[in-house]
Amino acid sequence: MNSFPFLSLEKSLIVLRVSVAVIFLSHSIVRIANSTIPQFGGFLESKGFPYGVAWVWAITVFEIFGGILLALGFFTKWLSLGFILMLIVGIALIHASLGWFVGEHGTGGSEYSFILIMALLVISASDKRI
């Protein structure tokens, strides 16, 4: 109770790791539920990626299985690297051209991806299943 309302560093890392995993899981599940895979695949093809739908399925499968493994604390360094690379590509292809802000100051910018990258760096640095 001495640290109330704050958690210990170890517990905070668990909360961060699971929360970031939930973000990726929900993102991929909504993509499937809303049937937007073909739309996203067409977008990737318009950016020069062959087999856009296959790329989107690969991303979606990585987000689902990677999200589950990340939440459980397995392979955190490798999964963090994969998610960071995916986010960097997303910034380059989509978000950078839309500016920095996502909320009331802009639409679709890079700030959300940036903070996810920073969170993944912290998760990767902890590199232990807690």
Side-chain angles (χ1 to χ4, degrees):
M1 239 8 216
N2 290 340
S3 62
F4 182 81
F6 304 104
L7 299 173
S8 68
L9 178 59
E10 286 191 29
K11 289 179 183 172
S12 297
L13 288 169
I14 293 170
V15 170
L16 180 65
R17 191 184 73 233
V18 171
S19 298
V20 169
V22 167
I23 294 294
F24 287 109
L25 279 165
S26 62
H27 202 80
S28 60
I29 291 167
V30 167
R31 184 181 302 122
I32 293 169
N34 289 347
S35 301
T36 58
I37 289 175
Q39 178 185 351
F40 188 16
F43 170 79
L44 288 180
E45 288 175 5
S46 77
K47 296 293 184 178
F49 285 81
Y51 311 108
V53 171
W55 275 106
V56 176
W57 272 111
I59 291 166
T60 302
V61 167
F62 178 75
E63 287 177 332
I64 291 171
F65 288 105
I68 291 167
L69 290 170
L70 187 66
L72 296 173
F74 293 108
F75 311 110
T76 56
K77 278 193 185 295
W78 290 107
L79 290 168
S80 294
L81 175 63
F83 283 125
I84 288 169
L85 291 173
M86 187 175 67
L87 289 163
I88 289 170
V89 170
I91 289 170
L93 290 178
I94 304 166
H95 304 292
S97 67
L98 299 172
W100 177 253
F101 295 106
V102 174
E104 75 269 20
H105 305 296
T107 304
S110 300
E111 67 177 338
Y112 179 72
S113 296
F114 172 80
I115 200 62
L116 279 173
I117 291 169
M118 295 302 110
L120 287 161
L121 288 173
V122 171
I123 291 165
S124 179
S126 70
D127 190 39
K128 63 181 184 177
R129 190 166 162 233
I130 322 173

